[in-house]
Amino acid sequence: MLPPHLRVFYLHGFASSCASRKARFFKDRLASLDVTLGIPDLCEGNFEGLTITGQLNVIERTARTCSANEPIVLIGSSLGGYLAALYAARHAAVSRLVLLAPAFQFHRLWTTELGPRRLQEWRENGTIPIFHHGEGREVPIGYQLMDDAGRHDPFPPFRQPALIFHGTQDAVVPVQYSVAFAEAHRNVRLVQVESGHELTDALDEIWRESRDFVLYGPSI
């Protein structure tokens, strides 16, 4: 029997959308078990003005739709996984998390990827073009993303039980970040899969590993 009052939310990744393949996958799987998956639009139609803090505010407003006796389960992909960790570290109402290639060290990842010259150009120009997978085209994003990201904990110290799935061939977020996080947190179990950052070719395996955890929590 499913637990009553369960609320599950999926947090999409950077430059993604509520209609991403992973969002639809989890929505369909949970719907087959009569569980509704909430998928908030973390950008709220303003990708150019995106910040970590703004997305956390979206999650908080979404969580307010839950009553006090409804356990909240967060499933987050990449940046959505990092956001889920940040939010859970500040909100005990989150009962457990499933993180898919979480973008720990988000600010450092961008700093390393872009390098000093492109970062300076971004700062001076105010925006840079980014390919938005949800829209299928390049769109601008403002430098306020970096200013704000630097203010957030790179490894959020949440205490809730969590499952982390990370591809061993991830070229975007090094799997070593999740390895280090899991080794330092006894509440976390890391499952490494033979996949890249998107993990779309490992979704059936991820569902098999996470289904009971999402619905009922960790086994005792």
Side-chain angles (χ1 to χ4, degrees), residues 155-208:
F155 288 106
F158 62 85
R159 297 182 179 182
Q160 298 91 327
L163 266 179
I164 297 180
F165 295 91
H166 211 126
T168 56
Q169 308 303 317
D170 194 328
V172 178
V173 181
V175 67
Q176 289 80 7
Y177 288 0
S178 287
V179 170
F181 189 85
E183 288 177 348
H185 296 82
R186 297 181 63 183
N187 55 312
V188 172
R189 180 165 76 91
L190 171 64
V191 179
Q192 298 187 52
V193 296
E194 293 296 323
S195 186
H197 184 66
E198 293 297 322
L199 295 172
T200 50
D201 57 350
L203 288 176
D204 288 332
E205 176 184 353
I206 290 170
W207 177 245
R208 287 194 300 271

Side-chain angles (χ1 to χ4, degrees), residues 65-79:
T65 65
C66 305
S67 62
N69 65 336
E70 290 180 315
I72 297 173
V73 181
L74 297 180
I75 304 173
S77 174
S78 193
L79 176 54

Side-chain angles (χ1 to χ4, degrees), residues 143-154:
Y143 190 79
Q144 78 285 329
L145 175 66
M146 291 297 288
D147 280 336
D148 181 72
R151 304 186 184 106
H152 292 275
D153 195 326

Side-chain angles (χ1 to χ4, degrees), residues 85-102:
L86 283 169
Y87 186 81
R90 306 173 188 179
H91 295 84
V94 176
S95 64
R96 51 195 177 274
L97 307 92
V98 175
L99 310 180
L100 313 177

Side-chain angles (χ1 to χ4, degrees), residues 110-112 114-124 143 146:
W110 275 72
T111 301
T112 302
L114 294 175
R117 180 177 297 180
R118 287 199 67 197
L119 279 173
Q120 181 63 27
E121 291 175 353
W122 187 6
R123 185 183 297 110
E124 292 176 352
Y143 190 79
M146 291 297 288

